[in-house]
Amino acid sequence: MAFRAPIRTMATAARQSLKIGLIPADGIGREVIPAAKAAIIALGSDIPKPEFIDLLAGFEHFTRKGTALPEETLRSLREECDCALFGSVSSPSSKVEGYSSPIVALRKELDLYANIRPVTSVASTPGGKPSIDLVVVRENTECLYVKQETLIIGEHGKEARATRLITERASRRIGQMAFEIALARPRKHLTVIHKSNVLSVTDGLFRETVRGVPSLPGMDGKFDNVTIAEQLVDSAVYRLFREPQIFDVMVAPNLYGDILSDAAAALVGSLGLVPSINAGDSFVVGEPVHGSAPDIAGQGIANPLASIRSAALMLRHLGYAKGADRLDKAVDEVIREGRILTPDLGGSAKTQEVLDAVLKRI
């Protein structure tokens, strides 16, 4: 099993129960989130007794009710839940008046400033390269995702402009998170991703702030053993495919991190294998990296492994490493055996068959 260091164990009081919000949202989210729920239940006493709270969000909810992220969902997450799992969202590629992505809004509302995406290979993953073990740490609240866009009619026709926001505060927070993750891993290597040769002000601020984290007051040599490198984002994509073994932890602004983590998923065979968490200082949301996959939604062939791995990542972040390890080990065994896999991995199994195989090994 690939090395899985704790990320940043969230301080938690002893709990009798663990209240988990479930937000399937759109498409195959409604198929893979129940699979993650079943895997969590199978852990038994390795975690506090799970209590699940079903919550609404998504584009389909927007088309029915006029809101993609209901206030009731936010209230429940803030007041009732200890953590949450989010499925997938069908955000349209063209503008729909009044709609904005609920997962982007959720990250901002709960200050989930870090999107953490481990990408690890298992030996027999179809199409995967061997020995992939890296983590993409993506700033989750800024960059072009602030969605401040304008469209005007200029001298030469339509002109579209977007504001890109990079702040010292957000860059420092994500930088510190990335250094802590790197420190917990065997290689202790951190690569800062940027394009400051072109965007010298915005990416320049990100680069300088992240590199300055070890010198912050109170660090006192904490990160002396972490090796710092940097890479321009375009060459990082190239090297990710040519020599992925050079990367350990990659930290990037929002847009670059989004692109890099999806590209990295290709190295291990499928988006259906890659988990993530959206983490802040007091809350965490597990989220498989894949989208809503409307072309296969409802067919019962969605890959549940990324959602189960996301549940493991969420539990590990909360301090329940034993339960998280059991989920990861079960998923790895199913992949390694290669007999029961969904079509995205070259198999013919149904979602439920893959889930049953994982539950058997838990």
Side-chain angles (χ1 to χ4, degrees):
M1 183 173 64
F3 179 85
R4 293 181 172 94
I7 292 176
R8 174 190 281 179
T9 301
M10 193 175 289
T12 56
R15 292 189 177 100
Q16 296 300 313
S17 65
L18 186 64
K19 295 183 178 180
I20 304 171
L22 298 179
I23 314 172
D26 300 320
I28 63 170
R30 292 192 291 270
E31 300 168 58
V32 299
I33 292 302
K37 174 183 175 180
I40 291 172
I41 292 172
L43 293 174
S45 61
D46 278 344
I47 61 172
K49 181 181 178 181
E51 297 180 13
F52 299 96
I53 302 173
D54 295 320
L55 300 170
L56 296 171
F59 182 68
E60 293 171 34
H61 187 270
F62 171 82
T63 61
R64 294 193 306 270
K65 301 293 185 179
T67 178
L69 183 61
E71 190 58 41
E72 175 61 24
T73 294
L74 280 173
R75 185 203 63 77
S76 181
L77 292 172
R78 289 187 176 118
E79 299 177 10
E80 299 179 279
C81 299
D82 299 307
C83 55
L85 288 170
F86 186 96
S88 56
V89 63
S90 297
S91 292
S93 56
S94 57
K95 181 178 176 60
V96 174
E97 193 64 37
Y99 175 79
S100 62
S101 170
I103 188 61
V104 173
L106 193 64
R107 291 164 181 165
K108 292 178 181 178
E109 290 287 344
L110 299 180
D111 198 24
L112 305 175
Y113 60 86
N115 186 252
I116 302 166
R117 298 184 174 186
V119 181
T120 58
S121 59
V122 179
S124 64
T125 300
K129 293 186 178 182
S131 303
I132 307 298
D133 184 8
L134 59 88
V135 182
V136 178
V137 183
R138 165 189 169 195
E139 202 289 315
N140 221 12
T141 64
E142 296 189 336
C143 194
L144 289 169
Y145 287 62
V146 296
K147 297 193 71 173
Q148 296 177 7
E149 297 181 287
T150 59
L151 181 65
I152 64 171
I153 304 300
E155 181 181 353
H156 302 291
K158 292 180 180 179
E159 294 181 7
R161 298 174 185 264
T163 296
R164 184 172 191 254
L165 176 67
I166 301 290
T167 67
E168 187 176 29
R169 174 178 180 266
S171 301
R172 183 185 299 117
R173 290 198 302 180
I174 200 65
Q176 187 167 346
M177 180 77 82
F179 268 99
E180 289 179 357
I181 293 170
L183 185 65
R185 290 170 60 85
R187 289 175 58 191
K188 305 185 189 311
H189 188 278
L190 176 65
T191 305
V192 185
I193 306 297
H194 61 86
K195 189 67 176 174
S196 62
N197 60 328
V198 175
L199 301 170
S200 58
V201 177
T202 50
D203 274 18
L205 177 61
F206 181 84
R207 171 186 175 273
E208 293 164 11
T209 303
V210 172
R211 290 191 67 103
V213 164
S215 302
L216 291 173
M219 292 302 164
D220 301 322
K222 179 179 180 180
F223 300 122
D224 284 354
N225 291 330
V226 177
T227 300
I228 309 172
E230 56 183 83
Q231 194 81 48
L232 297 178
V233 64
D234 45 352
S235 60
V237 173
Y238 177 79
R239 299 191 73 182
L240 188 63
F241 283 100
R242 293 290 299 229
E243 43 186 341
Q245 68 278 1
I246 71 169
F247 295 111
D248 181 21
V249 179
M250 308 169 77
V251 60
N254 207 335
L255 179 61
Y256 302 159
D258 195 1
I259 294 169
L260 283 168
S261 54
D262 278 13
L267 300 175
V268 295
S270 172
L271 282 170
L273 294 176
V274 181
S276 79
I277 54 172
N278 301 282
D281 293 329
S282 59
F283 203 78
V284 59
V285 176
E287 179 195 4
V289 169
H290 60 68
S292 62
D295 56 323
I296 63 168
Q299 298 180 33
I301 58 172
N303 189 341
L305 297 181
S307 66
I308 297 171
R309 279 180 160 172
S310 296
L313 202 57
M314 177 189 74
L315 291 174
R316 181 170 289 107
H317 198 77
L318 290 169
Y320 303 111
K322 185 176 180 181
D325 286 345
R326 286 178 64 194
L327 294 184
D328 281 330
K329 184 173 185 291
V331 169
D332 286 351
E333 288 177 357
V334 169
I335 296 170
R336 189 172 292 113
E337 289 177 8
R339 294 185 300 105
I340 305 174
L341 299 173
T342 44
D344 61 305
L345 293 174
S348 59
K350 298 286 190 178
T351 305
Q352 187 63 48
E353 292 174 310
V354 175
L355 172 59
D356 290 342
V358 172
L359 295 178
K360 180 180 178 181
R361 288 156 180 82
I362 294 175

